[in-house]
Amino acid sequence: MEISPRQLRGAMGGLYELGFATSMLIATGLGLPSALGNEALWPILLSLTAFSSVIQLSTLPFSRESPRYLLVNKGKPDEAKRALIFFRATTDVDKEMEELNQEASAQKNVNQLNWLGVLKDPHLRKALLVSISIHMSLQLGGVVAVLYYSTKMFANIGITYPGAVYASMGVSVVKLCMNMCSMYTIERWGRRIPELIGTGGQAIMTALLTVFLSFPAYEWAQILSVLFTVLFIAFNTFGPATITFMISPELFQENARASGVSMSFVAQYMANTIIGFSFPSLRIVLGQYVFLIFSTCSALLFVYIYYNLPETMNRPIEDIVREFGVKTNSNTPKTVEGESLFMKDIPEPEEKAALSNGYALPEDAAMISNENHVTDDPTA
């Protein structure tokens, strides 16, 4: 996220979910009995999980630090500019460097906040609650139950093995396709619309799934159960599954980002673990009505997110955090369309008067005037 251009920040953030969906599809395919999912070859299947870890460990030492980290945290502008040139593959990075310099100036006398510091600040606490609510829209929507136990669910409604496994593969294909669709729309529709569509859609799908799982003896109910399971995955991936992993860094400024994001992910994986372990027992006790819990949670989170999540697309971080009441010292424009723009060529009223009278302001005064000038209209 820190190395992404602002206009691609959402799509780049969706790469995590793309990797997850791709890996899930490959793993499901390799787990078929005709591949490696049999008594003789399962140790090979299990050992393949080390492959990606080895690649990551061998390449990380050669990865570059992010320009924002080098400038804001380390105070190394030259190294930050070299890193920015590397990531953008162009030397024309002056506008983006100016934005980073403004952020660095705003953070110069600001202390890094730990978890307790974020929780104590009422404005940061609000941003944290919004961030956690997005993470919960992924976990409390029921995706853990569907992904972990989809094969068993399909078998329980009468879809025999290995048909249940192929149905699970179909779920993985839909997840991959919807992730790519979300990555395309996220930089055109923004973050709010996909998140709300996904959260609202999964609430409806889990409610309908509850209804049709009540008639396992009927073929039409089996077909509709599979259909609504697939649609649930489509809505979940289009919204929460893609948005979750890229939005949290956009809700916190530099001094609170590490703590805010880490707390959000801790909450998410705690929910993941609890649901993963408790779902089989809840399914035994509640039967198909267990999905009403997920439907209710999604509906409540939809309402909370609708009223509290600001749109973050193409907006500077300093502008976003101001919506939560966080005070900043940055002069970043409040509205930015497309790439980073700074209104350096727009004169202040006194500059206009000076120019109309045939003389120019001193260079230093003009510079100060331009630095302090912020406009909401880039075309003004």
Side-chain angles (χ1 to χ4, degrees):
M1 289 295 296
E2 286 196 1
I3 64 174
S4 306
R6 183 187 300 164
Q7 66 272 20
L8 295 176
R9 202 164 57 196
M12 294 287 285
L15 290 175
Y16 175 94
E17 178 64 17
L18 179 65
F20 177 80
T22 304
S23 301
M24 178 180 163
L25 178 59
I26 294 172
T28 306
L30 292 176
L32 292 172
S34 56
L36 300 178
N38 52 62
E39 187 175 353
L41 299 176
W42 74 264
I44 298 175
L45 178 62
L46 183 63
S47 65
L48 290 177
T49 57
F51 181 68
S52 59
S53 299
V54 171
I55 292 178
Q56 186 175 26
L57 288 173
S58 60
T59 56
L60 274 177
F62 304 99
S63 301
R64 290 176 179 257
E65 294 284 3
S66 74
R68 177 175 277 103
Y69 173 79
L70 289 171
L71 182 60
V72 178
N73 293 77
K74 294 297 185 180
K76 299 178 178 179
D78 294 335
E79 290 186 26
K81 187 170 184 177
R82 284 195 294 268
L84 194 58
I85 291 172
F86 172 81
F87 286 120
R88 302 294 180 263
T90 178
T91 57
D92 185 18
V93 296
D94 291 340
K95 289 181 179 179
E96 196 165 354
M97 275 301 298
E98 183 170 355
E99 179 181 341
L100 291 177
N101 281 320
Q102 286 193 348
E103 185 175 344
S105 298
Q107 296 293 316
K108 185 175 293 184
N109 298 318
V110 177
N111 295 325
Q112 293 292 316
L113 295 176
N114 56 22
W115 286 19
L116 188 59
V118 172
L119 292 172
K120 284 182 176 180
D121 188 304
H123 306 299
L124 291 174
R125 193 164 58 240
K126 182 179 179 182
L128 178 64
L129 288 174
V130 172
S131 177
I132 290 177
S133 71
I134 304 257
H135 285 257
M136 291 300 102
S137 71
L138 172 62
Q139 299 299 332
L140 298 184
V143 69
V144 174
V146 173
L147 293 183
Y148 288 7
Y149 303 103
S150 58
T151 300
K152 188 173 182 180
M153 283 171 52
F154 293 143
N156 287 340
I157 62 174
I159 301 176
T160 59
Y161 187 86
V165 178
Y166 288 111
S168 295
M169 283 193 67
V171 169
S172 301
V173 171
V174 170
K175 187 173 182 63
L176 179 61
C177 293
M178 289 307 299
N179 173 250
M180 291 187 287
C181 179
S182 180
M183 289 175 63
Y184 176 80
T185 59
I186 202 172
E187 295 297 352
R188 291 162 176 79
W189 296 1
R191 283 44 157 170
R192 278 177 54 86
I193 293 178
E195 172 65 23
L196 291 171
I197 289 175
T199 304
Q202 69 183 15
I204 296 171
M205 292 304 108
T206 44
L208 292 172
L209 192 58
T210 302
V211 174
F212 292 103
L213 284 175
S214 302
F215 304 97
Y218 298 92
E219 185 177 355
W220 57 268
Q222 296 176 13
I223 295 172
L224 289 174
S225 295
V226 174
L227 174 63
F228 289 124
T229 299
V230 171
L231 288 175
F232 166 83
I233 289 296
F235 279 111
N236 178 272
T237 305
F238 183 74
T242 301
I243 300 293
T244 292
F245 296 99
M246 50 75 52
I247 190 118
S248 291
E250 295 186 323
L251 301 179
F252 301 95
Q253 58 186 8
E254 188 70 26
N255 70 316
R257 186 170 299 138
S259 296
V261 171
S262 63
M263 281 192 283
S264 300
F265 275 90
V266 166
Q268 174 184 320
Y269 286 111
M270 285 178 63
N272 182 293
T273 303
I274 293 170
I275 295 171
F277 279 105
S278 64
F279 178 75
S281 300
L282 289 173
R283 181 67 193 274
I284 293 173
V285 175
L286 300 176
Q288 68 274 16
Y289 298 106
V290 67
F291 288 99
L292 289 179
I293 298 175
F294 301 132
S295 181
T296 302
C297 289
S298 293
L300 293 175
L301 286 166
F302 176 90
V303 175
Y304 181 82
I305 291 169
Y306 178 83
Y307 285 107
N308 292 280
L309 176 65
E311 181 54 67
T312 63
M313 183 179 70
N314 287 340
R315 296 177 63 188
I317 300 298
E318 302 298 317
D319 181 22
I320 297 168
V321 300
R322 278 195 287 260
E323 292 211 19
F324 296 112
V326 178
K327 294 182 179 180
T328 67
N329 298 319
S330 173
N331 290 324
T332 306
K334 288 188 177 182
T335 301
V336 178
E337 298 292 338
E339 297 184 358
S340 174
L341 299 175
F342 293 89
M343 319 310 167
K344 296 181 62 177
D345 299 324
I346 303 176
E348 291 283 343
E350 59 267 26
E351 291 180 273
K352 293 180 180 179
L355 292 172
S356 64
N357 289 330
Y359 66 93
L361 290 174
E363 182 178 352
D364 291 342
M367 184 182 301
I368 294 172
S369 176
N370 286 330
E371 289 178 350
N372 290 334
H373 181 63
V374 178
T375 179
D376 287 332
D377 185 4
T379 64

